[in-house]
Amino acid sequence: MPVISEPTQFNEDDLYVDLRAALGLPLFLKCEGFNFAGSVKLKAATEMVDAAERDGVLRPGSVMVESSSGNLGVALSMIAASRGYGFLCVTDSRCNPATRRMMEALGSVVHVIDEPDLHGGFLGARIAYVSAVCASDDRYVWLNQYANEGNWRAHYRTTAPAIARRFPHLDVLFVGAGTTGTLMGCARWFWQQRRRVRIVAVDTVGSVTFGGPPAPRMIPGLGMAVRPPLLDESYVDDVMHVPEPDTLRACRRLAARGFLFGGSTGTVVSGASDWLARHGRRNLTAVAIAPDLGERYLDTVHHPGWGVNVHGEDTLGGSGELAALSHPA
């Protein structure tokens, strides 16, 4: 085991779950939650902070500020604590209570937006608050995960090459779409390496990322209220849109087999399952990226009554493979 002196130095980046045994699904799940931040966002956070330090943007006395639905906020809280910066996370009322408490435990200040912007939704309101804070005091530094190229470069340097080493004959890669940093980093790497890998983006119903109509979304992580500046759709072969009840069913099916994952992972697994049912072929090698684990979703996604309160009595109903084990025998 390694000996480390700061939390960013540990990240288990080579763990995969073969879902054939657990779910009967021909899919390898790349687990990105085994680090001190608990999610794939540690990679982007580290890349963006390192670049800001190299460029002299972050200096002693700086206070980082970022808009985040949760996971990036936790990663930046951890880095800020270990490197001596302040950190203000601007989130909204959909952020998991456990996630907010984690950031505060790490010494960060969390500002919760309760009212969405008339046109930009909660994201627009969060960004407006960040802009106002930065204009009021030059100590504040906005890393801006939505447009920062370090977001996708982190995955170009690390995530995609790691997958290619483990699966040299990869056929299809499923990646959840939030800011699209993970998606773009992986897609660009495989394209530039001239690997014939089909890139499937998995988004949530209600997100406008790929041109769909906006609708309320309650599960944080994936989906956007505005088109992500980092997105280049020419690198994407297919898009799957997953309704939130299907996300809940996927998460609970995984939990019923001993794998406690977060909402983003449930969305990706559900989208991959649907795509494979339509397009899969025998001996297809498929990998999906699991962004985080499930502990911080115990009050929401994994709470027995939360899905019913949000989406109605039929949340655990439905048909198809993913619904089949919502009530395991």
Side-chain angles (χ1 to χ4, degrees):
M1 295 295 290
V3 177
I4 66 172
S5 56
E6 75 167 76
T8 57
Q9 293 172 346
F10 172 76
N11 188 12
E12 174 52 64
D13 194 31
D14 198 31
L15 177 65
Y16 296 81
V17 176
D18 185 346
L19 290 181
R20 287 175 296 187
L23 303 185
L25 188 62
L27 181 69
F28 295 98
L29 197 57
K30 187 179 192 304
C31 301
E32 291 280 355
F34 291 98
N35 55 59
F36 283 99
S39 81
V40 70
K41 289 292 190 178
L42 177 61
K43 293 178 175 179
T46 303
E47 186 85 14
M48 292 189 295
V49 171
D50 286 349
E53 289 178 336
R54 286 194 305 269
D55 296 342
V57 176
L58 277 175
R59 302 178 297 275
S62 292
V63 179
M64 294 188 293
V65 58
E66 185 57 271
S67 159
S68 171
S69 62
N71 283 338
L72 183 71
V74 172
L76 288 172
S77 294
M78 187 191 79
I79 294 172
S82 68
R83 301 191 187 183
Y85 299 115
F87 176 54
L88 168 64
C89 181
V90 182
T91 188
D92 61 61
S93 53
R94 298 168 299 176
C95 181
N96 295 312
T99 301
R100 296 202 296 267
R101 292 194 296 269
M102 288 177 69
M103 289 188 279
E104 290 166 347
L106 289 163
S108 298
V109 175
V110 180
H111 180 81
V112 180
I113 299 291
D114 292 318
E115 294 293 333
D117 180 80
L118 185 60
H119 301 292
F122 278 111
L123 178 59
R126 281 163 30 190
I127 290 176
Y129 187 88
V130 169
S131 299
V133 167
C134 291
S136 71
D137 191 331
D138 60 10
R139 291 178 303 163
Y140 286 94
V141 175
W142 182 24
L143 296 174
N144 192 1
Q145 62 164 325
Y146 309 106
N148 192 319
E149 295 202 349
N151 191 342
W152 68 261
R153 284 187 177 132
H155 303 285
Y156 182 94
R157 289 196 312 102
T158 62
T159 309
I163 294 170
R165 286 193 299 270
R166 182 62 182 81
F167 298 95
H169 303 295
L170 181 66
D171 295 299
V172 57
L173 177 64
F174 299 95
V175 188
T179 63
T180 69
T182 308
L183 174 66
M184 287 294 96
C186 291
R188 280 191 169 94
W189 190 89
F190 281 107
W191 183 82
Q192 291 185 11
Q193 295 295 316
R194 288 173 170 73
R195 301 282 188 103
R196 293 187 176 183
V197 175
R198 195 164 191 85
I199 302 296
V200 180
V202 183
D203 200 6
T204 183
V205 169
S207 167
V208 306
T209 297
F210 296 96
R217 293 174 289 111
M218 298 306 297
I219 300 174
L222 301 184
M224 293 280 284
V226 297
R227 182 181 170 86
L230 296 177
L231 177 62
D232 183 342
E233 289 188 65
S234 68
Y235 290 99
V236 179
D237 297 295
D238 291 306
V239 179
M240 299 295 295
H241 284 93
V242 176
E244 287 194 341
D246 287 354
T247 293
L248 297 177
R249 284 190 281 270
C251 286
R252 291 170 187 182
R253 185 181 175 196
L254 286 161
R257 293 296 180 262
F259 294 106
L260 194 69
F261 284 105
S264 297
T265 299
T267 302
V268 173
V269 169
S270 180
S273 177
D274 288 347
W275 190 95
L276 289 168
R278 299 176 196 175
H279 305 288
R281 65 176 189 271
R282 193 170 182 175
N283 299 322
L284 186 79
T285 299
V287 170
I289 296 176
D292 60 4
L293 302 179
E295 291 94 334
R296 63 191 64 170
Y297 296 87
L298 295 178
D299 294 326
T300 53
V301 169
H302 292 288
H303 189 284
W306 186 83
V308 172
N309 290 337
V310 172
H311 292 290
E313 293 291 338
D314 65 342
T315 297
L316 292 181
S319 60
E321 183 188 14
L322 279 175
L325 286 180
S326 293
H327 299 286

